[in-house]
Amino acid sequence: MQLQYLLCETLEGIATVTINRPDKMNALNAAVLGELACCFDALKADASVRGVILTGAGEKAFVAGADIGELAKMEPLGAKDLAFYGQTVLGRLETLGKPSIAMINGFALGGGCELALAATLRTASKTAKIGLPEVSLGIIPGYGGTQRLARIAGPGVAREWVLTGDMVTAEEAWRVGVVNRLFEAAELKEGTTKLLKTILSRGPVAVRLAMETIRRGQNMSQQEGEIIETDMFGLAAATADMKEGMQAFLEKRKANFKGC
Ligand code: COA
């Protein structure tokens, strides 16, 4: 597929996807959403890609939301379809089976904040601003934000962000656990890459199973989640990487994981 709004490059197993619509603060119009869907599918299928960094082009924005020009024309059924489609696209990021980091380099508002919430982790520049301003426009978040924010930071934070529509500083987002790591703007790329490389240096099957266990367990009781955990624990113990990881520890050397 010819990509108009995304820049994708892969280096040492890390694919960096840049939403490139800086004149509109990288807002998610229908075309950008469609390209993201194709891109997430391609990244999932590409075995050479082991992790993903998602960011926005330019100095000012990660993504300043869904495209308000398009939203303004919505009627109820179309809005419902759009929310469903947006949720499926962001769901593809969440279920990539590979770690992803939303590298928030500026405004992450509305659909942009929701996109970041669907990534495995979030890093941010200290100058970034984050929020869910939808109620200021007379709508509510529709790309999974109400659900993911409540799961990541708790219902109290979700209510405060969604009901006030206020933007918060990156530091506040970090304080409440929405952002995992904060960096000076000039160090954001290096710090984010280092974080992802740390994850990629661990047993790849174990990382994947752990991500899946946490994700699936979020929608279950503790007891049901622990059943998934025991199954995944057993599955991890069937891998050659498990034997290698433990042998390497005992031999006081670095593990050489093969991903199987
Ligand atoms: N949808 C469509 N266009 C958007 C947009 C969005 N979500 N966010 C920004 N833009 C456009 C602006 O309309 C403007 O376009 P123009 O130059 O053709 O007029 C351009 O991006 C630059 O934005 P501008 O508002 O001039 O920049 P700013 O630095 O003064 O303010 C923001 C930046 C992000 C604070 C402001 O653009 C904003 O509040 N955007 C909307 C955020 C929002 O409500 N998102 C949730 C949508 S559900």
Side-chain angles (χ1 to χ4, degrees):
M1 182 191 187
Q2 189 75 21
L3 297 174
Q4 189 185 348
Y5 294 118
L6 298 185
L7 305 172
C8 298
E9 61 163 13
T10 302
L11 193 66
E12 295 173 13
I14 297 179
T16 300
V17 178
T18 306
I19 299 169
N20 186 28
R21 205 188 167 210
D23 56 323
K24 295 288 178 191
M25 300 271 166
N26 304 318
L28 301 176
N29 61 11
V32 177
L33 267 185
E35 290 189 14
L36 281 172
C38 291
C39 179
F40 294 150
D41 286 348
L43 294 173
K44 184 171 191 155
D46 186 344
S48 72
V49 172
R50 297 188 297 126
V52 176
I53 293 174
L54 189 62
T55 194
E59 307 277 288
K60 289 184 80 173
F62 172 72
V63 170
D67 190 300
I68 298 172
E70 285 186 359
L71 293 183
K73 299 182 194 128
M74 290 185 303
E75 36 72 40
L77 277 182
K80 195 166 178 259
D81 288 344
L82 177 68
F84 181 74
Y85 181 61
Q87 288 167 8
T88 63
V89 176
L90 272 54
R92 282 160 146 112
L93 173 62
E94 189 175 53
T95 56
L96 215 50
K98 308 174 187 201
S100 61
I101 301 182
M103 183 169 82
I104 303 172
N105 54 312
F107 292 108
L109 302 174
C113 176
E114 295 178 288
L115 180 64
L117 292 170
T120 315
L121 296 173
R122 283 148 295 284
T123 58
S125 137
K126 285 186 179 167
T127 53
K129 294 266 172 59
I130 303 172
L132 292 167
E134 283 87 346
V135 290
S136 322
L137 297 165
I139 55 171
I140 69 166
Y143 296 170
T146 58
Q147 305 306 302
R148 286 200 182 92
L149 184 58
R151 283 168 169 80
I152 291 168
V157 171
R159 286 192 189 100
E160 185 183 337
W161 285 31
V162 172
L163 302 186
T164 65
D166 284 345
M167 286 188 229
V168 304
T169 60
E171 187 153 8
E172 172 63 6
W174 170 76
R175 190 185 68 80
V176 298
V178 171
V179 164
N180 298 93
R181 302 262 174 107
L182 260 188
F183 297 102
E184 297 295 340
E187 284 150 25
L188 179 63
K189 188 155 191 241
E190 192 188 337
T192 303
T193 306
K194 195 169 166 216
L195 174 61
L196 188 51
K197 281 188 170 170
T198 298
I199 297 170
L200 297 182
S201 73
R202 311 306 189 205
V205 182
V207 165
R208 183 174 169 177
L209 296 178
M211 278 173 25
E212 194 178 333
T213 306
I214 294 169
R215 181 178 59 76
R216 287 172 60 189
Q218 280 183 316
N219 301 319
M220 294 173 181
S221 67
Q222 169 90 16
Q223 246 180 348
E224 289 167 318
E226 285 182 2
I227 292 169
I228 304 266
E229 189 181 82
T230 53
D231 286 347
M232 296 295 193
F233 191 82
L235 201 51
T239 61
D241 279 354
M242 177 261 200
K243 290 183 182 62
E244 166 62 13
M246 303 225 174
Q247 200 59 36
F249 175 82
L250 296 172
E251 292 170 7
K252 301 189 190 304
R253 61 173 173 83
K254 203 167 167 283
N256 180 19
F257 291 118
K258 297 272 194 285
C260 58

